[in-house]
């Protein structure tokens, strides 16, 4: 397999750099930035390239527009970048296809150009060759610093690296190194916590993790499928009933591999729209969840047991909230998992996932987590396969 080149291991200077950044931040109801973690994470790569006198052109998507949509303009990203990079001129390029060539030709050092939302162009998702060529024409080299996008075979991820000398940025490098180390040689015991809504999006990674972990702890909506596999009553909880057989297969695989799959023994049930009343605690085995109620969080006995396993772990991977954390009445389980991981400072811990990060990213002790991955789907696929299309595309 040919080698991956990282920007800090090569001498990239005085170049026009097309940087596939990841500024795909969460927006709130007022369309302002809810959390700029993804912007902050790119600052080291930007500064590194600037110090070496490179001229940077940033490419990123924001949200999922199908066409031009002013609500998803990179304008707010440009404004935030200006705060983090004082002294640097940062300009938005409204449409790079029609922009005067002189704008690019006259780009100065200490000037960053940010292209408008790349998903405004349908060719991006189609990985259109001619479109990738037009992007590649803007630069001498390509740098990918968008781990969370590397599982997507789009023009700015896999198309451009066919056309330019290509490198991984600092954030992508850290993601690759940290996650590879943990999946190749985990210190034991290794405890994995998988939560979230749908088991179907996580089956492949759970199968893989069963092979390497000692304990696979489940929670959240996806645990409901396993409750059904054991024929317990779950009221009107979310559940992918069609996955029940798959769940049984996972339990069987775990038994063969000697890995323990751990399910909640008690849960909170209630009404997802009621933010006042905390749910009622019930043991799953008692079959007492009414038909009109939903399981919305893990219960106290489960928290205590999960906490004890996390405390003893030497390697921890966590993806997926274990309850409906968006409702404050049902976020305690997810908070508890977070604090349990943050307090095990002996362990190497990796935490990732879009919703997982929005549940924790403003919390204290975040620096106690060894690695906070910006990848949701990308992290899961990387754990499963050990690589991603966007990473393979960088190999020379
Ligand atoms: P991530 O983005 O971190 O990978 P997912 O997208 O898989 O996580 O799942 C997050 C979603 O799962 C959240 O919106 C959360 O409310 C939901 N969820 C977790 N547990 C439950 C539950 N018991 N009932 C309903 N939704 C749940
Ligand atoms: Mg999600």
């Amino acid at each position: 397999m040919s080698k991956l080149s990282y920007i800090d291991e090569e001498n990239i200077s005085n170049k026009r750099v097309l940087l596939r950044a990841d500024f795909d931040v969460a927006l709130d109801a007022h369309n302002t930035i809810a959390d700029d973690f993804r912007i902050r994470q790119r600052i080291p790569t930007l500064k590194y390239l600037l110090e070496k006198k490179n001229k940077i052109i940033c490419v990123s998507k924001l949200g999922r527009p199908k066409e031009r949509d002013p609500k998803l303009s990179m304008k707010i990203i440009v404004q935030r970048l200006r705060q983090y990079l004082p002294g640097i001129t940062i300009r938005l390029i409204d449409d790079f296809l029609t922009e005067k060539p002189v704008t690019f030709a006259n780009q100065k050092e200490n000037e960053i150009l940010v292209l408008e939302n790349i998903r405004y162009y349908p060719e991006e998702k189609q990985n259109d060759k001619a479109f990738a060529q037009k992007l590649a024409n803007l630069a001498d080299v390509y740098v990918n610093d968008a781990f969370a996008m590397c599982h997507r075979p789009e023009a700015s991820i896999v198309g451009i690296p066919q056309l330019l000398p290509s490198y991984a940025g600092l954030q992508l490098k850290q993601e690759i190194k940290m996650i590879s180390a943990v999946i190749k040689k985990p210190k034991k015991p290794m405890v994995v916590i998988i939560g979230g809504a749908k088991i179907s999006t996580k089956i492949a990674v759970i199968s893989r993790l069963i092979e390497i972990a000692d304990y696979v702890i489940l929670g959240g909506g996806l645990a409901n499928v396993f409750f059904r596999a054991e024929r317990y009553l779950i009221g009107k909880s979310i559940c992918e009933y069609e996955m029940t057989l798959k769940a049984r297969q996972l339990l069987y695989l775990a038994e063969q591999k000697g890995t323990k799959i751990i399910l909640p023994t008690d849960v909170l049930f209630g009404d997802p729209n009621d933010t006042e009343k905390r749910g009622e605690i019930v043991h799953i085995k008692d079959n007492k969840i009414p038909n009109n109620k939903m399981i919305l969080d893990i219960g106290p006995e489960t928290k205590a047991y999960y906490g004890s396993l996390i405390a003893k772990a030497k390697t921890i991977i966590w993806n997926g909230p274990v309850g409906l954390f968006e409702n404050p009445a049902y976020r305690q389980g997810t908070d508890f998992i977070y604090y349990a991981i943050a307090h095990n400072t002996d362990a190497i811990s990796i935490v990732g996932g879009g919703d997982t990060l929005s549940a924790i990213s403003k919390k204290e002790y975040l620096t106690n987590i060894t690695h906070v991955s910006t990848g949701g789907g990308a992290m899961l696929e990387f754990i499963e396969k050990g690589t991603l299309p966007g990473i393979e595309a960088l190999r020379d």
Side-chain angles (χ1 to χ4, degrees):
M1 207 175 353
S2 55
K3 200 173 136 285
L4 263 181
S5 304
Y6 300 101
I7 54 168
D8 58 339
E9 293 167 18
E10 309 286 327
N11 187 19
I12 305 170
S13 54
N14 297 301
K15 292 275 191 305
R16 293 181 304 157
V17 176
L18 195 78
L19 176 66
R20 182 49 169 96
D22 177 8
F23 299 135
D24 198 2
V25 297
L27 302 173
D28 61 21
H30 311 288
N31 230 47
T32 53
I33 298 175
D35 178 7
D36 67 4
F37 182 67
R38 284 192 164 165
I39 298 180
R40 282 184 276 130
Q41 272 212 321
R42 304 276 143 1
I43 301 300
T45 290
L46 288 167
K47 285 190 169 160
Y48 183 87
L49 290 169
L50 286 171
E51 270 163 30
K52 303 228 156 195
K53 302 195 182 304
N54 296 291
K55 293 173 186 169
I56 307 167
I57 300 169
C58 293
V59 176
S60 175
K61 81 170 181 86
L62 178 60
R64 296 185 174 126
K66 296 250 176 325
E67 55 194 43
R68 256 177 199 269
D69 174 357
K71 283 207 260 351
L72 293 171
S73 166
M74 299 295 286
K75 231 178 245 171
I76 48 171
I77 305 295
V78 167
Q79 284 159 358
R80 189 61 59 95
L81 278 171
R82 286 181 185 138
Q83 292 173 18
Y84 286 115
L85 295 167
I88 306 292
T89 306
I90 304 174
R91 289 177 57 186
L92 181 68
I93 304 296
D94 183 59
D95 180 6
F96 77 98
L97 295 173
T98 57
E99 183 67 39
K100 289 190 232 70
V102 61
T103 308
F104 297 101
N106 289 355
Q107 183 178 359
K108 299 189 180 54
E109 271 172 33
N110 285 352
E111 180 181 19
I112 295 175
L113 303 180
V114 177
L115 304 193
E116 192 45 287
N117 195 334
I118 201 67
R119 286 269 185 96
Y120 281 2
Y121 306 88
E123 297 93 330
E124 161 71 355
K125 249 179 113 69
Q126 296 155 2
N127 186 17
D128 183 274
K129 271 214 173 102
F131 181 73
Q133 185 66 61
K134 284 173 196 160
L135 285 163
N137 289 345
L138 301 175
D140 307 312
V141 301
Y142 168 81
V143 172
N144 184 334
D145 209 28
F147 176 72
M149 288 300 298
C150 283
H151 59 318
R152 305 217 180 267
E154 305 184 355
S156 71
I157 299 292
V158 299
I160 308 171
Q162 308 303 319
L163 306 165
L164 290 175
S166 298
Y167 308 88
L170 300 179
Q171 188 266 342
L172 178 54
K173 175 179 179 176
Q174 200 203 0
E175 295 270 13
I176 294 171
K177 300 252 152 154
M178 292 301 308
I179 304 174
S180 312
V182 158
I183 54 181
K184 278 187 197 140
K185 253 188 173 223
K187 279 199 190 147
K188 301 280 185 161
M190 176 179 189
V191 172
V192 172
I193 306 103
I194 303 284
K198 292 184 174 175
I199 186 80
S200 56
T201 59
K202 304 192 179 179
I203 284 276
V205 73
I206 294 173
S207 309
R208 174 81 189 110
L209 286 167
I210 285 172
E211 290 175 10
I212 50 182
D214 301 290
Y215 296 89
V216 175
I217 295 179
L218 301 177
L222 59 78
N224 298 339
V225 183
F226 290 82
F227 295 148
R228 281 311 300 154
E230 310 270 5
R231 299 197 170 78
Y232 296 126
L233 300 180
I234 61 168
K236 71 172 174 76
S237 306
I238 59 161
C239 181
E240 293 174 289
Y241 287 93
E242 68 283 8
M243 299 302 286
T244 316
L245 184 62
K246 272 274 176 226
R248 288 206 185 99
Q249 288 168 348
L250 286 179
L251 293 169
Y252 179 70
L253 176 70
E255 210 175 287
Q256 283 184 317
K257 299 277 172 193
T259 301
K260 297 212 164 49
I261 291 194
I262 316 277
L263 287 161
T265 51
D266 61 345
V267 294
L268 292 187
F269 70 84
D271 174 351
N273 300 315
D274 188 347
T275 52
E276 300 295 314
K277 210 164 113 231
R278 245 195 120 203
E280 289 175 56
I281 302 166
V282 69
H283 275 94
I284 277 291
K285 288 201 167 140
D286 292 345
N287 282 321
K288 278 190 182 147
I289 299 168
N291 282 335
N292 61 343
K293 297 285 197 244
M294 289 172 76
I295 299 171
L296 296 167
D297 202 357
I298 56 174
E301 181 183 275
T302 300
K303 281 199 274 193
Y305 183 46
Y306 285 11
S308 72
L309 293 176
I310 291 168
K312 282 184 288 191
K314 289 274 182 281
T315 301
I316 304 167
I317 296 181
W318 176 33
N319 162 263
V322 294
L324 185 81
F325 75 95
E326 295 91 339
N327 178 340
Y330 298 104
R331 66 167 302 138
Q332 268 121 350
T334 299
D335 284 345
F336 181 88
I337 298 289
Y338 169 71
Y339 287 118
I341 297 171
H343 281 94
N344 181 344
T345 46
D346 277 348
I348 294 185
S349 49
I350 295 188
V351 175
D355 290 288
T356 310
L357 290 203
S358 53
I360 67 162
S361 72
K362 290 195 176 126
K363 290 203 180 303
E364 64 276 46
Y365 313 122
L366 208 57
T367 50
N368 286 6
I369 307 292
T370 318
H371 180 64
V372 178
S373 174
T374 44
M379 179 179 97
L380 300 180
E381 196 176 316
F382 187 78
I383 292 171
E384 181 204 334
K385 299 183 176 149
T387 189
L388 294 170
I391 296 170
E392 288 312 293
L394 298 176
R395 297 186 191 279
D396 33 53

